[in-house]
PDB file of all heavy atoms in Angstrom:
ATOM      1  N   ALA T 197     -64.089  67.591  -5.954  1.00 93.00           N
ATOM      2  CA  ALA T 197     -64.138  67.429  -7.408  1.00 93.00           C
ATOM      3  C   ALA T 197     -65.127  66.337  -7.796  1.00 93.00           C
ATOM      4  O   ALA T 197     -65.887  66.478  -8.767  1.00 93.00           O
ATOM      5  CB  ALA T 197     -62.744  67.096  -7.937  1.00 93.00           C
ATOM      6  N   ARG T 199     -67.806  65.459  -6.284  1.00 94.00           N
ATOM      7  CA  ARG T 199     -69.181  65.952  -6.157  1.00 94.00           C
ATOM      8  C   ARG T 199     -69.587  66.754  -7.392  1.00 94.00           C
ATOM      9  O   ARG T 199     -70.758  66.786  -7.764  1.00 94.00           O
ATOM     10  CB  ARG T 199     -69.330  66.811  -4.907  1.00 94.00           C
ATOM     11  CG  ARG T 199     -69.068  66.098  -3.587  1.00 94.00           C
ATOM     12  CD  ARG T 199     -70.091  65.013  -3.254  1.00 94.00           C
ATOM     13  NE  ARG T 199     -70.061  63.862  -4.124  1.00 94.00           N
ATOM     14  CZ  ARG T 199     -69.183  62.851  -4.018  1.00 94.00           C
ATOM     15  NH1 ARG T 199     -68.256  62.876  -3.108  1.00 94.00           N
ATOM     16  NH2 ARG T 199     -69.265  61.820  -4.839  1.00 94.00           N
ATOM     17  N   ASN T 200     -68.608  67.406  -8.011  1.00 92.00           N
ATOM     18  CA  ASN T 200     -68.908  68.155  -9.236  1.00 92.00           C
ATOM     19  C   ASN T 200     -69.230  67.240 -10.415  1.00 92.00           C
ATOM     20  O   ASN T 200     -69.802  67.692 -11.405  1.00 92.00           O
ATOM     21  CB  ASN T 200     -67.717  69.051  -9.606  1.00 92.00           C
ATOM     22  CG  ASN T 200     -67.566  70.236  -8.669  1.00 92.00           C
ATOM     23  OD1 ASN T 200     -68.549  70.725  -8.125  1.00 92.00           O
ATOM     24  ND2 ASN T 200     -66.337  70.683  -8.464  1.00 92.00           N
ATOM     25  N   TYR T 201     -68.850  65.978 -10.311  1.00 94.00           N
ATOM     26  CA  TYR T 201     -69.111  65.027 -11.389  1.00 94.00           C
ATOM     27  C   TYR T 201     -70.431  64.279 -11.204  1.00 94.00           C
ATOM     28  O   TYR T 201     -70.944  63.657 -12.134  1.00 94.00           O
ATOM     29  CB  TYR T 201     -67.992  63.983 -11.479  1.00 94.00           C
ATOM     30  CG  TYR T 201     -66.590  64.548 -11.571  1.00 94.00           C
ATOM     31  CD1 TYR T 201     -65.514  63.872 -10.997  1.00 94.00           C
ATOM     32  CD2 TYR T 201     -66.332  65.752 -12.212  1.00 94.00           C
ATOM     33  CE1 TYR T 201     -64.218  64.370 -11.075  1.00 94.00           C
ATOM     34  CE2 TYR T 201     -65.036  66.257 -12.288  1.00 94.00           C
ATOM     35  CZ  TYR T 201     -63.987  65.560 -11.712  1.00 94.00           C
ATOM     36  OH  TYR T 201     -62.705  66.053 -11.790  1.00 94.00           O
ATOM     37  N   ASP T 202     -70.985  64.320  -9.979  1.00 95.00           N
ATOM     38  CA  ASP T 202     -72.149  63.493  -9.644  1.00 95.00           C
ATOM     39  C   ASP T 202     -73.324  63.711 -10.590  1.00 95.00           C
ATOM     40  O   ASP T 202     -73.969  62.754 -11.040  1.00 95.00           O
ATOM     41  CB  ASP T 202     -72.601  63.759  -8.201  1.00 95.00           C
ATOM     42  CG  ASP T 202     -71.648  63.148  -7.178  1.00 95.00           C
ATOM     43  OD1 ASP T 202     -70.753  62.381  -7.588  1.00 95.00           O
ATOM     44  OD2 ASP T 202     -71.799  63.450  -5.978  1.00 95.00           O
ATOM     45  N   ALA T 203     -73.629  64.968 -10.887  1.00 94.00           N
ATOM     46  CA  ALA T 203     -74.811  65.269 -11.701  1.00 94.00           C
ATOM     47  C   ALA T 203     -74.692  64.654 -13.088  1.00 94.00           C
ATOM     48  O   ALA T 203     -75.683  64.180 -13.657  1.00 94.00           O
ATOM     49  CB  ALA T 203     -75.009  66.783 -11.807  1.00 94.00           C
ATOM     50  N   ARG T 204     -73.462  64.633 -13.633  1.00 95.00           N
ATOM     51  CA  ARG T 204     -73.298  64.050 -14.969  1.00 95.00           C
ATOM     52  C   ARG T 204     -73.381  62.531 -14.931  1.00 95.00           C
ATOM     53  O   ARG T 204     -73.870  61.908 -15.870  1.00 95.00           O
ATOM     54  CB  ARG T 204     -71.960  64.519 -15.567  1.00 95.00           C
ATOM     55  CG  ARG T 204     -72.081  65.913 -16.181  1.00 95.00           C
ATOM     56  CD  ARG T 204     -70.750  66.440 -16.644  1.00 95.00           C
ATOM     57  NE  ARG T 204     -69.964  66.961 -15.543  1.00 95.00           N
ATOM     58  CZ  ARG T 204     -68.717  67.398 -15.656  1.00 95.00           C
ATOM     59  NH1 ARG T 204     -68.104  67.347 -16.825  1.00 95.00           N
ATOM     60  NH2 ARG T 204     -68.074  67.883 -14.606  1.00 95.00           N
ATOM     61  N   ILE T 205     -72.934  61.923 -13.840  1.00 96.00           N
ATOM     62  CA  ILE T 205     -73.103  60.475 -13.696  1.00 96.00           C
ATOM     63  C   ILE T 205     -74.589  60.136 -13.708  1.00 96.00           C
ATOM     64  O   ILE T 205     -75.039  59.224 -14.409  1.00 96.00           O
ATOM     65  CB  ILE T 205     -72.442  59.983 -12.394  1.00 96.00           C
ATOM     66  CG1 ILE T 205     -70.925  60.112 -12.489  1.00 96.00           C
ATOM     67  CG2 ILE T 205     -72.835  58.534 -12.102  1.00 96.00           C
ATOM     68  CD1 ILE T 205     -70.192  59.771 -11.203  1.00 96.00           C
ATOM     69  N   VAL T 206     -75.360  60.874 -12.920  1.00 96.00           N
ATOM     70  CA  VAL T 206     -76.807  60.651 -12.858  1.00 96.00           C
ATOM     71  C   VAL T 206     -77.445  60.894 -14.225  1.00 96.00           C
ATOM     72  O   VAL T 206     -78.352  60.161 -14.643  1.00 96.00           O
ATOM     73  CB  VAL T 206     -77.445  61.551 -11.780  1.00 96.00           C
ATOM     74  CG1 VAL T 206     -78.967  61.494 -11.859  1.00 96.00           C
ATOM     75  CG2 VAL T 206     -76.964  61.137 -10.390  1.00 96.00           C
ATOM     76  N   LYS T 207     -76.964  61.911 -14.954  1.00 96.00           N
ATOM     77  CA  LYS T 207     -77.530  62.214 -16.271  1.00 96.00           C
ATOM     78  C   LYS T 207     -77.398  61.025 -17.213  1.00 96.00           C
ATOM     79  O   LYS T 207     -78.368  60.643 -17.901  1.00 96.00           O
ATOM     80  CB  LYS T 207     -76.812  63.425 -16.887  1.00 96.00           C
ATOM     81  CG  LYS T 207     -77.314  63.785 -18.287  1.00 96.00           C
ATOM     82  CD  LYS T 207     -76.576  64.987 -18.860  1.00 96.00           C
ATOM     83  CE  LYS T 207     -75.231  64.591 -19.424  1.00 96.00           C
ATOM     84  NZ  LYS T 207     -74.583  65.701 -20.163  1.00 96.00           N
ATOM     85  N   TYR T 208     -76.236  60.390 -17.241  1.00 97.00           N
ATOM     86  CA  TYR T 208     -76.048  59.263 -18.160  1.00 97.00           C
ATOM     87  C   TYR T 208     -76.767  58.014 -17.667  1.00 97.00           C
ATOM     88  O   TYR T 208     -77.232  57.209 -18.477  1.00 97.00           O
ATOM     89  CB  TYR T 208     -74.557  59.006 -18.375  1.00 97.00           C
ATOM     90  CG  TYR T 208     -73.917  60.111 -19.182  1.00 97.00           C
ATOM     91  CD1 TYR T 208     -73.065  61.035 -18.578  1.00 97.00           C
ATOM     92  CD2 TYR T 208     -74.207  60.275 -20.531  1.00 97.00           C
ATOM     93  CE1 TYR T 208     -72.500  62.073 -19.305  1.00 97.00           C
ATOM     94  CE2 TYR T 208     -73.659  61.324 -21.264  1.00 97.00           C
ATOM     95  CZ  TYR T 208     -72.801  62.212 -20.650  1.00 97.00           C
ATOM     96  OH  TYR T 208     -72.261  63.251 -21.369  1.00 97.00           O
ATOM     97  N   GLN T 211     -80.188  58.540 -18.930  1.00 97.00           N
ATOM     98  CA  GLN T 211     -80.271  58.234 -20.357  1.00 97.00           C
ATOM     99  C   GLN T 211     -80.392  56.732 -20.594  1.00 97.00           C
ATOM    100  O   GLN T 211     -81.162  56.284 -21.451  1.00 97.00           O
ATOM    101  CB  GLN T 211     -79.032  58.769 -21.088  1.00 97.00           C
ATOM    102  CG  GLN T 211     -79.002  60.275 -21.249  1.00 97.00           C
ATOM    103  CD  GLN T 211     -77.796  60.736 -22.062  1.00 97.00           C
ATOM    104  OE1 GLN T 211     -77.041  59.925 -22.602  1.00 97.00           O
ATOM    105  NE2 GLN T 211     -77.603  62.049 -22.147  1.00 97.00           N
ATOM    106  N   ASP T 236     -69.398  56.914 -22.126  1.00 95.00           N
ATOM    107  CA  ASP T 236     -70.009  58.248 -22.197  1.00 95.00           C
ATOM    108  C   ASP T 236     -69.609  59.098 -20.997  1.00 95.00           C
ATOM    109  O   ASP T 236     -69.255  60.275 -21.133  1.00 95.00           O
ATOM    110  CB  ASP T 236     -71.529  58.125 -22.257  1.00 95.00           C
ATOM    111  CG  ASP T 236     -72.045  57.893 -23.670  1.00 95.00           C
ATOM    112  OD1 ASP T 236     -71.225  57.909 -24.607  1.00 95.00           O
ATOM    113  OD2 ASP T 236     -73.264  57.702 -23.834  1.00 95.00           O
ATOM    114  N   ILE T 237     -69.654  58.496 -19.828  1.00 95.00           N
ATOM    115  CA  ILE T 237     -69.306  59.238 -18.611  1.00 95.00           C
ATOM    116  C   ILE T 237     -67.850  59.697 -18.661  1.00 95.00           C
ATOM    117  O   ILE T 237     -67.536  60.860 -18.407  1.00 95.00           O
ATOM    118  CB  ILE T 237     -69.558  58.382 -17.353  1.00 95.00           C
ATOM    119  CG1 ILE T 237     -71.064  58.206 -17.125  1.00 95.00           C
ATOM    120  CG2 ILE T 237     -68.914  59.035 -16.124  1.00 95.00           C
ATOM    121  CD1 ILE T 237     -71.396  57.289 -15.973  1.00 95.00           C
ATOM    122  N   GLY T 239     -65.818  60.019 -21.247  1.00 92.00           N
ATOM    123  CA  GLY T 239     -65.573  61.007 -22.293  1.00 92.00           C
ATOM    124  C   GLY T 239     -65.956  62.394 -21.823  1.00 92.00           C
ATOM    125  O   GLY T 239     -65.237  63.379 -22.062  1.00 92.00           O
ATOM    126  N   ASP T 240     -67.082  62.487 -21.132  1.00 93.00           N
ATOM    127  CA  ASP T 240     -67.574  63.771 -20.631  1.00 93.00           C
ATOM    128  C   ASP T 240     -66.707  64.277 -19.483  1.00 93.00           C
ATOM    129  O   ASP T 240     -66.241  65.422 -19.491  1.00 93.00           O
ATOM    130  CB  ASP T 240     -69.017  63.604 -20.168  1.00 93.00           C
ATOM    131  CG  ASP T 240     -69.698  64.948 -19.896  1.00 93.00           C
ATOM    132  OD1 ASP T 240     -68.985  65.968 -19.764  1.00 93.00           O
ATOM    133  OD2 ASP T 240     -70.932  64.985 -19.817  1.00 93.00           O
ATOM    134  N   LEU T 241     -66.475  63.426 -18.485  1.00 93.00           N
ATOM    135  CA  LEU T 241     -65.725  63.873 -17.315  1.00 93.00           C
ATOM    136  C   LEU T 241     -64.258  64.145 -17.636  1.00 93.00           C
ATOM    137  O   LEU T 241     -63.632  65.014 -17.035  1.00 93.00           O
ATOM    138  CB  LEU T 241     -65.808  62.828 -16.198  1.00 93.00           C
ATOM    139  CG  LEU T 241     -67.197  62.557 -15.630  1.00 93.00           C
ATOM    140  CD1 LEU T 241     -67.112  61.617 -14.448  1.00 93.00           C
ATOM    141  CD2 LEU T 241     -67.893  63.845 -15.231  1.00 93.00           C
ATOM    142  N   ALA T 242     -63.708  63.397 -18.590  1.00 90.00           N
ATOM    143  CA  ALA T 242     -62.297  63.586 -18.927  1.00 90.00           C
ATOM    144  C   ALA T 242     -62.095  64.821 -19.783  1.00 90.00           C
ATOM    145  O   ALA T 242     -61.144  65.579 -19.587  1.00 90.00           O
ATOM    146  CB  ALA T 242     -61.748  62.352 -19.637  1.00 90.00           C
ATOM    147  N   PHE T 243     -62.995  65.038 -20.765  1.00 87.00           N
ATOM    148  CA  PHE T 243     -62.765  66.095 -21.751  1.00 87.00           C
ATOM    149  C   PHE T 243     -63.975  66.989 -22.025  1.00 87.00           C
ATOM    150  O   PHE T 243     -63.904  67.872 -22.878  1.00 87.00           O
ATOM    151  CB  PHE T 243     -62.343  65.478 -23.090  1.00 87.00           C
ATOM    152  CG  PHE T 243     -61.205  64.517 -22.974  1.00 87.00           C
ATOM    153  CD1 PHE T 243     -61.406  63.168 -23.148  1.00 87.00           C
ATOM    154  CD2 PHE T 243     -59.933  64.962 -22.672  1.00 87.00           C
ATOM    155  CE1 PHE T 243     -60.356  62.274 -23.036  1.00 87.00           C
ATOM    156  CE2 PHE T 243     -58.876  64.082 -22.561  1.00 87.00           C
ATOM    157  CZ  PHE T 243     -59.087  62.735 -22.739  1.00 87.00           C
ATOM    158  N   GLY T 244     -65.098  66.724 -21.342  1.00 84.00           N
ATOM    159  CA  GLY T 244     -66.311  67.444 -21.699  1.00 84.00           C
ATOM    160  C   GLY T 244     -66.756  67.079 -23.103  1.00 84.00           C
ATOM    161  O   GLY T 244     -67.361  67.890 -23.806  1.00 84.00           O
ATOM    162  N   ARG T 245     -66.469  65.842 -23.502  1.00 82.00           N
ATOM    163  CA  ARG T 245     -66.693  65.415 -24.879  1.00 82.00           C
ATOM    164  C   ARG T 245     -67.255  63.989 -24.860  1.00 82.00           C
ATOM    165  O   ARG T 245     -66.534  63.012 -25.032  1.00 82.00           O
ATOM    166  CB  ARG T 245     -65.359  65.456 -25.633  1.00 82.00           C
ATOM    167  CG  ARG T 245     -65.437  65.100 -27.102  1.00 82.00           C
ATOM    168  CD  ARG T 245     -64.057  65.326 -27.731  1.00 82.00           C
ATOM    169  NE  ARG T 245     -64.048  64.960 -29.129  1.00 82.00           N
ATOM    170  CZ  ARG T 245     -63.024  65.211 -29.952  1.00 82.00           C
ATOM    171  NH1 ARG T 245     -61.948  65.808 -29.509  1.00 82.00           N
ATOM    172  NH2 ARG T 245     -63.083  64.850 -31.218  1.00 82.00           N
ATOM    173  N   ALA T 246     -68.545  63.868 -24.620  1.00 83.00           N
ATOM    174  CA  ALA T 246     -69.163  62.553 -24.510  1.00 83.00           C
ATOM    175  C   ALA T 246     -69.192  61.844 -25.861  1.00 83.00           C
ATOM    176  O   ALA T 246     -69.215  62.478 -26.917  1.00 83.00           O
ATOM    177  CB  ALA T 246     -70.584  62.677 -23.969  1.00 83.00           C
ATOM    178  N   GLN T 308     -58.982  70.629 -25.425  1.00 86.00           N
ATOM    179  CA  GLN T 308     -58.959  71.089 -24.046  1.00 86.00           C
ATOM    180  C   GLN T 308     -58.021  72.281 -23.864  1.00 86.00           C
ATOM    181  O   GLN T 308     -58.306  73.195 -23.090  1.00 86.00           O
ATOM    182  CB  GLN T 308     -58.532  69.947 -23.121  1.00 86.00           C
ATOM    183  CG  GLN T 308     -59.571  68.837 -22.996  1.00 86.00           C
ATOM    184  CD  GLN T 308     -60.916  69.374 -22.567  1.00 86.00           C
ATOM    185  OE1 GLN T 308     -61.794  69.598 -23.400  1.00 86.00           O
ATOM    186  NE2 GLN T 308     -61.085  69.599 -21.286  1.00 86.00           N
ATOM    187  N   LYS T 311     -59.856  75.327 -25.032  1.00 79.00           N
ATOM    188  CA  LYS T 311     -60.865  75.726 -24.045  1.00 79.00           C
ATOM    189  C   LYS T 311     -60.209  76.415 -22.851  1.00 79.00           C
ATOM    190  O   LYS T 311     -60.719  77.406 -22.321  1.00 79.00           O
ATOM    191  CB  LYS T 311     -61.663  74.503 -23.588  1.00 79.00           C
ATOM    192  CG  LYS T 311     -62.659  73.999 -24.616  1.00 79.00           C
ATOM    193  CD  LYS T 311     -63.226  72.644 -24.228  1.00 79.00           C
ATOM    194  CE  LYS T 311     -63.904  72.642 -22.892  1.00 79.00           C
ATOM    195  NZ  LYS T 311     -64.481  71.311 -22.566  1.00 79.00           N
ATOM    196  N   ALA T 315     -60.796  80.224 -21.517  1.00 71.00           N
ATOM    197  CA  ALA T 315     -61.226  80.463 -20.142  1.00 71.00           C
ATOM    198  C   ALA T 315     -60.271  81.411 -19.421  1.00 71.00           C
ATOM    199  O   ALA T 315     -60.694  82.297 -18.663  1.00 71.00           O
ATOM    200  CB  ALA T 315     -61.324  79.133 -19.397  1.00 71.00           C
ATOM    201  N   THR T 320     -62.614  83.017 -16.605  1.00 64.00           N
ATOM    202  CA  THR T 320     -63.823  82.299 -16.182  1.00 64.00           C
ATOM    203  C   THR T 320     -63.486  80.856 -15.860  1.00 64.00           C
ATOM    204  O   THR T 320     -62.489  80.307 -16.329  1.00 64.00           O
ATOM    205  CB  THR T 320     -64.887  82.318 -17.290  1.00 64.00           C
ATOM    206  OG1 THR T 320     -64.351  81.685 -18.474  1.00 64.00           O
ATOM    207  CG2 THR T 320     -65.297  83.746 -17.617  1.00 64.00           C
ATOM    208  N   GLU T 321     -64.318  80.252 -15.054  1.00 66.00           N
ATOM    209  CA  GLU T 321     -64.196  78.828 -14.740  1.00 66.00           C
ATOM    210  C   GLU T 321     -65.173  78.058 -15.616  1.00 66.00           C
ATOM    211  O   GLU T 321     -66.261  78.554 -15.922  1.00 66.00           O
ATOM    212  CB  GLU T 321     -64.519  78.579 -13.269  1.00 66.00           C
ATOM    213  CG  GLU T 321     -63.507  79.167 -12.299  1.00 66.00           C
ATOM    214  CD  GLU T 321     -62.159  78.484 -12.376  1.00 66.00           C
ATOM    215  OE1 GLU T 321     -62.125  77.279 -12.706  1.00 66.00           O
ATOM    216  OE2 GLU T 321     -61.133  79.152 -12.122  1.00 66.00           O
ATOM    217  N   PRO T 322     -64.807  76.841 -16.049  1.00 66.00           N
ATOM    218  CA  PRO T 322     -65.736  76.059 -16.858  1.00 66.00           C
ATOM    219  C   PRO T 322     -67.002  75.744 -16.081  1.00 66.00           C
ATOM    220  O   PRO T 322     -66.958  75.499 -14.868  1.00 66.00           O
ATOM    221  CB  PRO T 322     -64.943  74.777 -17.180  1.00 66.00           C
ATOM    222  CG  PRO T 322     -63.869  74.707 -16.148  1.00 66.00           C
ATOM    223  CD  PRO T 322     -63.535  76.120 -15.811  1.00 66.00           C
ATOM    224  N   ALA T 323     -68.147  75.778 -16.777  1.00 69.00           N
ATOM    225  CA  ALA T 323     -69.432  75.506 -16.121  1.00 69.00           C
ATOM    226  C   ALA T 323     -69.437  74.109 -15.524  1.00 69.00           C
ATOM    227  O   ALA T 323     -69.974  73.878 -14.445  1.00 69.00           O
ATOM    228  CB  ALA T 323     -70.561  75.667 -17.131  1.00 69.00           C
ATOM    229  N   GLU T 324     -68.846  73.167 -16.255  1.00 78.00           N
ATOM    230  CA  GLU T 324     -68.743  71.788 -15.779  1.00 78.00           C
ATOM    231  C   GLU T 324     -67.280  71.368 -15.862  1.00 78.00           C
ATOM    232  O   GLU T 324     -66.783  71.017 -16.932  1.00 78.00           O
ATOM    233  CB  GLU T 324     -69.619  70.851 -16.609  1.00 78.00           C
ATOM    234  CG  GLU T 324     -71.108  71.088 -16.435  1.00 78.00           C
ATOM    235  CD  GLU T 324     -71.939  70.074 -17.196  1.00 78.00           C
ATOM    236  OE1 GLU T 324     -71.586  69.766 -18.350  1.00 78.00           O
ATOM    237  OE2 GLU T 324     -72.938  69.584 -16.628  1.00 78.00           O
ATOM    238  N   PRO T 325     -66.558  71.420 -14.759  1.00 81.00           N
ATOM    239  CA  PRO T 325     -65.126  71.112 -14.783  1.00 81.00           C
ATOM    240  C   PRO T 325     -64.873  69.667 -15.204  1.00 81.00           C
ATOM    241  O   PRO T 325     -65.640  68.766 -14.893  1.00 81.00           O
ATOM    242  CB  PRO T 325     -64.693  71.356 -13.327  1.00 81.00           C
ATOM    243  CG  PRO T 325     -65.942  71.237 -12.519  1.00 81.00           C
ATOM    244  CD  PRO T 325     -67.044  71.729 -13.397  1.00 81.00           C
ATOM    245  N   ASP T 326     -63.803  69.482 -15.953  1.00 89.00           N
ATOM    246  CA  ASP T 326     -63.416  68.138 -16.350  1.00 89.00           C
ATOM    247  C   ASP T 326     -62.001  67.853 -15.865  1.00 89.00           C
ATOM    248  O   ASP T 326     -61.268  68.742 -15.438  1.00 89.00           O
ATOM    249  CB  ASP T 326     -63.526  67.954 -17.868  1.00 89.00           C
ATOM    250  CG  ASP T 326     -62.701  68.965 -18.633  1.00 89.00           C
ATOM    251  OD1 ASP T 326     -61.467  68.925 -18.510  1.00 89.00           O
ATOM    252  OD2 ASP T 326     -63.283  69.815 -19.347  1.00 89.00           O
ATOM    253  N   ILE T 327     -61.624  66.598 -15.945  1.00 93.00           N
ATOM    254  CA  ILE T 327     -60.351  66.154 -15.360  1.00 93.00           C
ATOM    255  C   ILE T 327     -59.156  66.729 -16.100  1.00 93.00           C
ATOM    256  O   ILE T 327     -58.215  67.248 -15.492  1.00 93.00           O
ATOM    257  CB  ILE T 327     -60.300  64.614 -15.346  1.00 93.00           C
ATOM    258  CG1 ILE T 327     -61.431  64.061 -14.457  1.00 93.00           C
ATOM    259  CG2 ILE T 327     -58.946  64.120 -14.859  1.00 93.00           C
ATOM    260  CD1 ILE T 327     -61.674  62.571 -14.616  1.00 93.00           C
ATOM    261  N   MET T 328     -59.162  66.648 -17.424  1.00 92.00           N
ATOM    262  CA  MET T 328     -57.999  67.083 -18.191  1.00 92.00           C
ATOM    263  C   MET T 328     -57.745  68.586 -18.049  1.00 92.00           C
ATOM    264  O   MET T 328     -56.594  69.025 -18.024  1.00 92.00           O
ATOM    265  CB  MET T 328     -58.167  66.706 -19.658  1.00 92.00           C
ATOM    266  CG  MET T 328     -56.939  66.981 -20.517  1.00 92.00           C
ATOM    267  SD  MET T 328     -55.370  66.272 -19.871  1.00 92.00           S
ATOM    268  CE  MET T 328     -55.658  64.515 -20.100  1.00 92.00           C
ATOM    269  N   THR T 329     -58.799  69.371 -17.933  1.00 89.00           N
ATOM    270  CA  THR T 329     -58.610  70.819 -17.753  1.00 89.00           C
ATOM    271  C   THR T 329     -57.832  71.098 -16.469  1.00 89.00           C
ATOM    272  O   THR T 329     -56.946  71.965 -16.431  1.00 89.00           O
ATOM    273  CB  THR T 329     -59.964  71.541 -17.719  1.00 89.00           C
ATOM    274  OG1 THR T 329     -60.604  71.413 -18.986  1.00 89.00           O
ATOM    275  CG2 THR T 329     -59.779  73.021 -17.408  1.00 89.00           C
ATOM    276  N   GLN T 330     -58.134  70.353 -15.419  1.00 89.00           N
ATOM    277  CA  GLN T 330     -57.437  70.565 -14.150  1.00 89.00           C
ATOM    278  C   GLN T 330     -55.968  70.156 -14.245  1.00 89.00           C
ATOM    279  O   GLN T 330     -55.101  70.743 -13.584  1.00 89.00           O
ATOM    280  CB  GLN T 330     -58.153  69.791 -13.040  1.00 89.00           C
ATOM    281  CG  GLN T 330     -59.564  70.307 -12.807  1.00 89.00           C
ATOM    282  CD  GLN T 330     -60.286  69.581 -11.705  1.00 89.00           C
ATOM    283  OE1 GLN T 330     -59.958  69.743 -10.538  1.00 89.00           O
ATOM    284  NE2 GLN T 330     -61.281  68.772 -12.054  1.00 89.00           N
ATOM    285  N   ASN T 333     -54.284  72.938 -16.374  1.00 89.00           N
ATOM    286  CA  ASN T 333     -54.150  74.194 -15.638  1.00 89.00           C
ATOM    287  C   ASN T 333     -52.874  74.268 -14.795  1.00 89.00           C
ATOM    288  O   ASN T 333     -52.433  75.351 -14.406  1.00 89.00           O
ATOM    289  CB  ASN T 333     -55.362  74.430 -14.739  1.00 89.00           C
ATOM    290  CG  ASN T 333     -56.588  74.867 -15.524  1.00 89.00           C
ATOM    291  OD1 ASN T 333     -56.475  75.296 -16.678  1.00 89.00           O
ATOM    292  ND2 ASN T 333     -57.755  74.759 -14.918  1.00 89.00           N
TER     293      ASN T 333
END
Side-chain angles (χ1 to χ4, degrees):
R199 298 294 68 80
N200 288 330
Y201 308 147
D202 287 351
R204 278 174 281 175
I205 292 175
V206 171
K207 178 180 80 172
Y208 290 107
Q211 287 184 6
D236 276 356
I237 289 175
D240 192 344
L241 297 186
F243 308 109
R245 183 174 178 171
Q308 290 305 98
K311 286 169 58 178
T320 60
E321 293 293 330
E324 292 184 318
D326 57 65
I327 298 167
M328 186 52 69
T329 295
Q330 296 181 71
N333 285 343

